[in-house]
Every structure is written in C-alpha cells, then in structure tokens.
Amino acid sequence: MKSEAKKEKAAGLRLHNLRPRPGARHRVKRLGCGESSGHGKTSGKGHKGQKARSGGSLRLGFEGGQMPLIRRLPKRGFNNAAFHKRYAIVNLSELADFKSGSIVNEESLRAANLVRGNFYGIKILGDGELKHGLTIQAEKVSTAAREKIEKAGGTIAAPEAKTPRNGATEASAEKPKRAARSPASRKVKPKKPKVGKK
C-alpha cells in the first residue's frame, strides 16, 4: 500500500490514477435485512408512530399540535421589511452592448435580460467603463457611475411615469371621490301601506 502511494507520488496525479482518500467512502447502510444485519428488526426507526412510517415526517418546529415555541415567544419592535423598496442593480459594464445614443430604461433592460422580476426601480452602479454616450433613465445612479456616464458624453434623466396596464394615466386611473350628499337632498321613498289579514 505504501509502495503504491509512493509510486503515485513519483508519477504525479493524473486523471487515470485519481482515487478517493482512504476512509472517504463508506459502505451503504442496508436496512430491512432482519435482526442479523446489525440494525435490528425495526431498522433503527423504533416501534410504531408517525416517524416509523414510510414517508412519515414532521415539519421543522412542529411540537405535536401544542402551541409551538415560535408562536409562544413575545413579538417586540417594528420590522420595516414589508415596506422595503428593492432596486434592480445594473453595472456600467453591462451597458456596453447598447448602441451609442440609445435610451436605457426598464423596458430596454428587460428586453436585454439584464433585469427580471418585480422591483421598485433601477439603480446604476459604476463597476466597469462606458465608452459611448447613453441616455439613462433610472431611479438611482451612484456618484461614480454618474461621473463615468457624463465623461462618456451620456445623460441621466428621470424615468417616465409608469402607466397602469389598462393604458390609462395615473391621474385618470384614480377614481374621483363622490361628494357626500346631505340628508335633505336624498329622495325619500313613500312607505307602502301594510296589507294585513282582517
């Protein structure tokens, strides 16, 4: 064994003589082979119960139906995660494929598969170099990216207002609130006389 290891070291490691380290590979534990297998008749699962069944498993934190610990602990403080605005990050190195003078906005970035998914806006970062001028419409631009864009002859503009899916503008999309009517202006329907049995 030692002589073979010495020979391998002398010959150097090659694809044809790669072997796992001694002790790295283990024999597969064979279950369900009876009491003489060394794992008992129940194969290490104990007697009965949900965990002994095929496919029977419990989710993380399940405590048998009683109130779990995560719900028993008091909740304190405020979490701003629900109101967090996520921005899609785009570096200047990724804008090299756009032609000179083209407009870079959310639509063009989605068409180029540079951004995907749902996000609040786009943020341009200054990693990389920009060799030609572009008109960039983004919600946020870092200081380094702004300097490189202006140095290359490009401009930075605010993104256009997004329109709802039905094509209406945001101003027209909002329904005007109805003015509250006074009780005097409401029409009062005359009550019908009740017809009862005599």
Side-chain angles (χ1 to χ4, degrees):
M1 189 74 181
K2 290 183 179 179
S3 61
E4 290 180 4
K6 287 181 180 179
K7 287 180 181 178
E8 286 182 2
K9 284 184 179 180
L13 291 175
R14 298 289 186 271
L15 288 174
H16 67 278
N17 60 16
L18 288 177
R19 292 179 181 177
R21 291 174 62 87
R25 299 185 65 180
H26 299 273
R27 187 171 58 85
V28 178
K29 183 192 285 188
R30 298 186 64 195
L31 300 176
C33 294
E35 295 183 9
S36 62
S37 65
H39 299 296
K41 62 173 184 146
T42 54
S43 304
K45 287 196 170 189
H47 288 275
K48 302 183 181 179
Q50 185 175 359
K51 292 182 180 179
R53 307 302 182 199
S54 165
S57 60
L58 301 174
R59 67 175 183 272
L60 188 65
F62 183 69
E63 299 182 17
Q66 75 172 14
M67 188 64 67
L69 180 67
I70 189 61
R71 293 182 64 187
R72 293 199 302 268
L73 293 175
K75 275 60 171 186
R76 295 178 182 275
F78 174 74
N79 189 355
N80 202 26
F83 309 100
H84 177 69
K85 294 178 180 178
R86 192 179 74 86
Y87 288 86
I89 303 300
V90 179
N91 281 294
L92 290 180
S93 59
E94 299 172 327
L95 303 180
D97 294 336
F98 287 93
K99 295 180 180 179
S100 178
S102 58
I103 298 174
V104 179
N105 53 17
E106 183 181 341
E107 292 179 2
S108 59
L109 290 172
R110 283 188 185 275
N113 283 330
L114 293 176
V115 295
R116 58 185 62 86
N118 297 323
F119 48 83
Y120 178 78
I122 296 169
K123 184 173 184 178
I124 308 295
L125 299 183
D127 186 17
E129 295 295 331
L130 196 63
K131 296 182 179 179
H132 48 268
L134 297 172
T135 302
I136 295 176
Q137 297 177 352
E139 281 77 8
K140 287 189 175 185
V141 181
S142 68
T143 306
R146 185 180 295 274
E147 292 175 359
K148 292 180 180 180
I149 292 167
E150 293 174 351
K151 187 178 179 181
T155 57
I156 299 170
E160 298 177 358
K162 296 179 182 179
T163 57
R165 291 184 179 179
N166 57 6
T169 59
E170 291 184 0
S172 62
E174 295 179 0
K175 294 182 180 180
K177 295 180 179 179
R178 295 174 62 181
R181 293 186 297 175
S182 61
S185 62
R186 294 175 185 168
K187 293 181 180 179
V188 180
K189 293 181 180 180
K191 292 183 179 181
K192 293 180 181 180
K194 292 182 180 180
V195 179
K197 294 181 180 179
K198 292 182 181 180

